[in-house]
Each structure stands twice: as structure tokens, then as C-alpha cells.
Amino acid sequence: MGEVKKIKNLKEFSTSADRFEGANLLCPGCAHSIIVREVLNATNDDLILASSTGCLEVCTAVYPYTSWDASWIHIGFENGSTAVAGAEAMYQALKKKGRLKQPDRSTKFVAFGGDGASYDIGFQWISGCMERGHDMMYIVLDNEVYANTGGQRSSATPIGASATTSPAGRKSYGEKKNKKDMVAIMAAHNIPYSAQVAPNKWKDMVKKIQHGLNVEGPVFINAMSPCTTEWKFDPKDTMMISDLATDSLVFPLYEIIDGHELNITYRPKHKVPVEEYLAAQGRFKHLFKAEYKHMIKEWQDRVDATWESLQRREEARV
Amino acid sequence: MAEQGWDEFEIGAMLRSFNGEAKDVALTLQEDRDYSSNNSFTASVADWRIKKPVFNKDYCIDCQFCWVYCPDISIISRDKKMIGIDMDHCKGCGICVEVCPTNPKSLLMYSEQTDEEQALAAWPSKDEGEK
């Protein structure tokens, strides 16, 4: 196990040497690269990375360029998780046989996937990796839509959002089903660590990533990634939207240890009404029309209920 | 390499980020790395910009918010100080300006053609507004 990188404050963090490069083709203001940078800068260990097909993958590996300064592989849409799990299995086998070329170095295995690749297409593969207990971390860059292919709904798309395959109009308020609780599903595999993070809370993120990398066994991280193109807001507002999401508790930050011990890691000082979060994004614009206004109350009630249940679970420690 | 046609792509390509052996990349700053021509660091997306950020170091408090929230690794910070903007990789999203906490802001967006020295000379003064 390598030494944990010391990151006391943002100034100390800023001395990190980035292992993710610019001139990738992600949209201006994309939160994906903010998250990736925060993750990669959280450690000095050697990294074996994989990405599932998605925005991050197509934009950082545009032949003949790569934006990764660490070993990185892409195979298919569904198997970012198993690609890294395979590398990890080989690493463990070589270690056991004493055939590692650099046995004294500390190596970590991390897979990135979008919400489409994780909630839908790669779901079974991730579940397998978590169940088999590989020493790896899986990070979902959750932008709640298939942003790379033009904004189709995924099972992470929240209720009321207008996506290209669930458009809002005269007859419909958009997506009809609510987002599935992926962190709870993964925690139900009794993995040592699963957590939800957001790019605006960099300290919380770094703490969770460092904990996750140093824990033995599979780790699941769900990272909110505001999408300027599909959530329809101005590129400069990425952090403002992230702040609204965490402060309105639409995206609560918490961690689950060993599948049962839940800790809430961020409690907003000033709770923001969900309405403000919805109003800031074009994908929820139609909810402010008279016929769909009831959805805003539905949103607030649901977010409050989720927060209540998280708090109860934290108290109960079960 | 960059002039290859679409049908000349190598299938299952392996690209090397660095020339020769790369050791302890996580401890080597960008200026000390030997990037290969396959690394996107050697490319530029400067032509994506419509507006560019201009940095006024007189007001900067080195809080590093712009560094941590820059999606394009374009804020250059060395020894805990913000020293400039990497204009080859900045896409002009404007996040750095939004997260800048100083008053007046030490980063502001100007149109791409603006002369930097003129912008610095005409920097807005402290906003005594509603706060």
C-alpha cells in the first residue's frame, strides 16, 4: 500500500502535476475533466485506467492523440470495469508468483464510465466486478443522459427531464421514470466502500477517492457531472449548477462503508429550494409551464423524503 | 502521423504519451516532461475560443479555485502561486472567472481580439454594490 498523498488545502493540492492533458475534445465547461483531474491528482501512485465508451473516452483518445499520462485502455461500451478487473487479476497473479517487474511500486486500478455505460449497458459487468472483489475503483461520471450520442434518456435520467427519446411537449412532461439508486445497488454487494461525490466539493471528493484507493476490495463512486450541452446551461455555470445540486440536496453527498454504515459527508448550511436547481437548466424549462407545475412540488417532496431517509439510515447504522 | 487518411488508421492502436521511458510522471511537472507527438498536450484547441480569460495578478489571492475547477488544465500554478493561463488549451468556458472570489475579479473574460494590456489598463475597480 502506497503512502497517502498529503493534501491539506487547495494550495497544497495545486502543486500536483496533472496526469490528464488539455486539448482533449470535451465541450468547454464539461465537468468530466474536472472530476478526472480531481481523482488523478488525489494520488501519486501508478495508475491503470480504463474508460467505457462515452464522452470521456471519445474525447480523450481521438487518434492520433491521447490525453492520458497513465496507462489507459478502452475496449467497448460495457466493459470498462472488466478491462480493469482483468488487469488487476493479472497483477495479483504476477505478484503472487513474484514476477512483478517493479514490485516496490504501488499501483491502483481505476475505471471510468458514463451513466449510460454504468447504469444501463455495463451494469452486469460492474456488478460482477464488485461481487468478485477485485481491488479496483469504478467511477461513474453521472450526467444523467447519453450525452455522447445526442442526449437519449438513460436510467439515470431524473423524472421530468426532457431528453431526445423522452421529449417534453403538449402531452408529456418528459422522462416518466425516476433515476435508479445506483449507490444503494452497489452497496448491496457489500463492497467495502461506495460513495457519491460532486466536483464542486473537491475536498470531500479527494478524501473519498483517497479512502477508496487505499481500501482493499472493490469501490464504487458515483460522481455528479453537470453537462452543459444536455442539461442546457451556459458553460461558465458548471460550478454554479453543481453548487445548486448539492445545496438543494438533489444530489446528496454521502458514503456507505461495508454496505451498511452510511455517513452523510456534506450538510448544506443554507438549503436551496429544488425549484432553483430546476430553473437553472433548460432540460427542466417546461416544468414551469402551468400544466406541469405540479412536478416541482413532486420533486421537492421526493428530495426531502430521500434526505430524510438518508439521515435515518445514518442514525440507525444498519 | 496527423496527415493520415481515415482508412489508414491503425486498428487497436497503442499510443505513447511520452518519448522514451517515463518515470514518476505524477511527480514531474509538465515543463519537465518529454511529451510525444501523440500526447494531446502537443495539440491546441485555442481556435475554439470566442472569449478569452485575462489574468490580472494584482488582485489575485492565490486561492487556486480557478486551478481546481479548470476543465482544461489551463491554469498554470507553480509553488502554490497562480502564474498564468495556458492559451493553447483554454477553450474559453469562463468557469475560472465565475469561481474567482476577489473583488474586483482577478480574471475576466474579453473577446478573443482584445489587447491584453489595454484590458489590464482598463480593469474595473472594486464593486461596492449590494454586498
Side-chain angles (χ1 to χ4, degrees):
Chain A
M1 199 174 287
E3 247 175 66
V4 181
K5 184 173 173 180
K6 250 177 68 189
I7 300 167
K8 270 210 314 275
N9 50 37
L10 197 45
K11 285 197 178 193
E12 200 166 358
F13 196 31
S14 78
T15 58
S16 310
D18 271 292
R19 279 186 279 178
F20 185 71
E21 295 298 346
N24 54 61
L25 303 187
L26 290 161
C27 301
C30 179
H32 274 24
S33 45
I34 304 176
I35 297 165
V36 170
R37 285 187 61 212
E38 286 174 11
V39 170
L40 301 196
N41 283 335
T43 177
N44 281 337
D45 293 336
D46 292 343
L47 291 169
I48 312 287
L49 308 168
S51 293
S52 301
T53 307
C55 285
L56 183 71
E57 177 268 317
V58 297
C59 296
T60 57
V62 186
Y63 192 76
Y65 292 117
T66 172
S67 301
W68 301 88
D69 295 342
S71 310
W72 177 89
I73 188 172
H74 163 249
I75 302 173
F77 211 140
E78 66 289 340
N79 53 10
S81 51
T82 39
V84 151
E88 192 266 348
M90 186 183 78
Y91 177 85
Q92 298 297 355
L94 289 175
K95 194 174 175 182
K96 210 167 137 192
K97 290 179 185 167
R99 279 168 51 197
L100 280 181
K101 285 197 176 143
Q102 295 172 310
D104 47 333
R105 291 189 75 92
S106 159
T107 310
K108 305 289 181 207
F109 297 83
V110 181
F112 291 99
D115 60 288
S118 314
Y119 282 60
D120 303 341
I121 298 173
F123 185 67
Q124 165 192 156
W125 281 257
I126 300 168
S127 178
C129 289
M130 299 292 137
E131 179 266 321
R132 287 191 298 272
H134 293 283
D135 189 8
M136 61 174 276
M137 175 184 274
Y138 190 88
I139 300 175
V140 184
L141 301 162
D142 181 8
N143 54 15
E144 303 185 335
V145 77
Y146 283 88
N148 181 36
T149 47
Q152 291 83 3
R153 56 91 54 188
S154 75
S155 57
T157 309
I159 194 163
S162 181
T164 48
T165 48
S166 63
R170 255 173 300 153
K171 303 264 181 204
S172 164
Y173 51 76
E175 173 64 20
K176 291 276 189 296
K177 297 279 182 288
N178 202 15
K179 185 172 179 161
K180 82 178 168 200
D181 189 352
M182 189 72 166
V183 180
I185 298 170
M186 287 302 147
H189 289 68
N190 284 325
I191 55 175
Y193 195 67
S194 50
Q196 204 151 249
V197 299
N200 55 329
K201 301 289 169 215
W202 68 269
K203 203 165 190 176
D204 177 69
M205 162 103 80
V206 166
K207 212 174 141 196
K208 284 172 177 167
I209 298 295
Q210 289 188 334
H211 182 86
L213 286 174
N214 283 299
V215 107
E216 207 163 311
V219 170
F220 181 84
I221 305 279
N222 195 40
M224 174 193 60
S225 180
C227 174
T228 137
T229 311
E230 297 304 335
W231 294 18
K232 299 187 177 66
F233 59 84
D234 210 43
K236 69 176 171 40
D237 292 331
T238 307
M239 297 333 287
M240 188 265 282
I241 300 278
S242 309
D243 284 340
L244 282 175
T246 49
D247 289 352
S248 65
L249 299 168
V250 170
F251 206 89
L253 302 181
Y254 59 92
E255 57 185 14
I256 304 175
I257 297 166
D258 295 329
H260 58 86
E261 197 178 313
L262 190 143
N263 299 314
I264 295 171
T265 54
Y266 174 68
R267 286 166 213 277
K269 277 198 195 94
H270 304 286
K271 216 176 120 186
V272 176
V274 175
E275 192 171 346
E276 280 183 36
Y277 169 74
L278 301 177
Q281 303 167 48
R283 63 174 176 157
F284 293 119
K285 195 173 62 191
H286 53 280
L287 296 186
F288 292 84
K289 284 185 190 161
E291 64 263 44
Y292 300 138
K293 267 236 147 113
H294 63 278
M295 288 302 295
I296 296 174
K297 192 179 173 298
E298 195 271 348
W299 259 90
Q300 185 69 58
D301 290 349
R302 185 166 38 78
V303 168
D304 288 346
T306 313
W307 182 240
E308 182 65 34
S309 94
L310 282 175
Q311 282 177 314
R312 286 201 178 182
R313 279 189 65 189
E314 187 187 31
E315 272 168 37
R317 316 301 276 174
V318 285
Chain B
M1 167 66 89
E3 280 83 45
Q4 272 179 328
W6 64 271
D7 53 348
E8 294 165 290
F9 280 5
E10 196 184 334
I11 295 169
M14 188 178 85
L15 303 175
R16 292 193 176 274
S17 304
F18 304 103
N19 293 319
E21 200 178 347
K23 266 190 181 165
D24 288 322
V25 182
L27 303 173
T28 316
L29 291 170
Q30 288 180 318
E31 54 268 31
D32 301 326
R33 294 178 185 168
D34 185 11
Y35 286 113
S36 82
S37 58
N38 289 125
N39 197 306
S40 72
F41 182 80
T42 59
S44 171
V45 285
D47 53 352
W48 287 30
R49 273 199 310 272
I50 302 165
K51 286 179 162 186
K52 65 174 178 187
V54 175
F55 173 51
N56 187 337
K57 71 170 185 297
D58 294 348
Y59 298 108
C60 182
I61 54 168
D62 295 309
C63 67
Q64 306 296 350
F65 283 164
C66 52
W67 176 84
V68 72
Y69 297 135
C70 174
D72 293 301
I73 312 98
S74 298
I75 303 291
I76 310 169
S77 286
R78 295 290 180 265
D79 297 327
K80 305 186 183 180
K81 296 254 185 302
M82 146 81 167
I83 57 169
I85 302 164
D86 177 352
M87 281 300 176
D88 282 338
H89 299 133
C90 173
K91 294 170 187 160
C93 63
I95 290 181
C96 51
V97 174
E98 285 298 302
V99 299
C100 183
T102 61
N103 185 5
K105 285 187 186 290
S106 36
L107 283 155
L108 284 174
M109 297 305 278
Y110 288 91
S111 75
E112 186 64 25
Q113 295 82 4
T114 312
D115 182 66
E116 203 160 308
E117 275 169 26
Q118 272 177 16
L120 287 174
W123 205 263
S125 53
K126 191 173 178 184
D127 180 14
E128 304 281 0
E130 291 147 40
K131 273 180 188 174

